[in-house]
Every structure is written in structure tokens, then in C-alpha cells.
Amino acid sequence: MKAAECGIRPSEFWEMTWKDYSIIVLGTERREVNEWARTRNLAYIIYLSNSSDKHPKSITSFWHIPQIDDIEEPEEEQYLSSDQLLRTLELYGVN
């Protein structure tokens, strides 16, 4: 049972809402991924310090963690240029 893996006692489980349970499970999963990332970073530092390769592997090719490496980066916010803003304001009759 996932609740036991998260350290939730049965009495606590039955008293909590689904939202509370989901938050605890997501937090536990995130903490576990962070531990794997920390382990990967330490292993990668050891690899780099003992490697004589002129072109060592990247950290993601050294040890791929899908929950971290396969997340798409959010696109940067695009702002209107001054000309675009002026044209938009003119379209709506704002001067």
C-alpha cells in the first residue's frame, strides 16, 4: 500500500481527504527523485574525477533519470514589442 510507503498510519489514512493523501504521495515521490538526483550527481563527480576522456559523457547520458531529464522546459514568455503594442492599442481605440 502506497500510504505505508509514505509513512502514513492506517488511522491517519482514513481521516484524511483525497487531496491530502495526494499531496503526501506526490511529496514522497518528489523526495525520492531528489535522492536519486543527488546520488547521480555524486556518482558523476566521481566519474569525472577518474575519467581521462577528453570528451566525457554528459550527466544525462551517464545516468538518465526520466522524471528529471524528460521534462520539457517551459517556453519563455513572449512579450509584445513596442510596435505590436501600439498597433494593438490602435485596434481597440486606446491612445
Side-chain angles (χ1 to χ4, degrees):
M1 177 178 218
K2 193 72 165 171
E5 293 175 9
C6 295
I8 301 171
R9 294 183 301 220
S11 60
E12 294 173 327
F13 173 78
W14 291 112
E15 292 175 2
M16 63 178 45
T17 65
W18 180 253
K19 183 177 181 179
D20 294 337
Y21 175 73
S22 297
I23 290 169
I24 291 172
V25 169
L26 289 174
T28 302
E29 289 173 353
R30 180 173 288 168
R31 188 170 40 251
E32 184 177 333
V33 169
N34 288 340
E35 287 296 322
W36 281 113
R38 182 178 303 134
T39 303
R40 174 177 74 169
N41 288 342
L42 292 171
Y44 188 66
I45 290 169
I46 293 168
Y47 160 72
L48 289 177
S49 65
N50 292 311
S51 176
S52 61
D53 295 342
K54 293 186 180 195
H55 303 289
K57 296 178 182 180
S58 68
I59 192 166
T60 56
S61 63
F62 173 75
W63 184 345
H64 184 76
I65 301 176
Q67 296 91 332
I68 297 172
D69 300 331
D70 294 345
I71 296 175
E72 293 183 18
E73 295 293 323
E75 293 183 21
E76 291 184 26
E77 292 184 38
Q78 295 184 1
Y79 297 99
L80 295 175
S81 68
S82 297
D83 293 335
Q84 291 171 324
L85 177 61
L86 287 174
R87 278 187 267 134
T88 303
L89 292 174
E90 285 176 10
L91 284 173
Y92 289 99
V94 179
N95 293 333

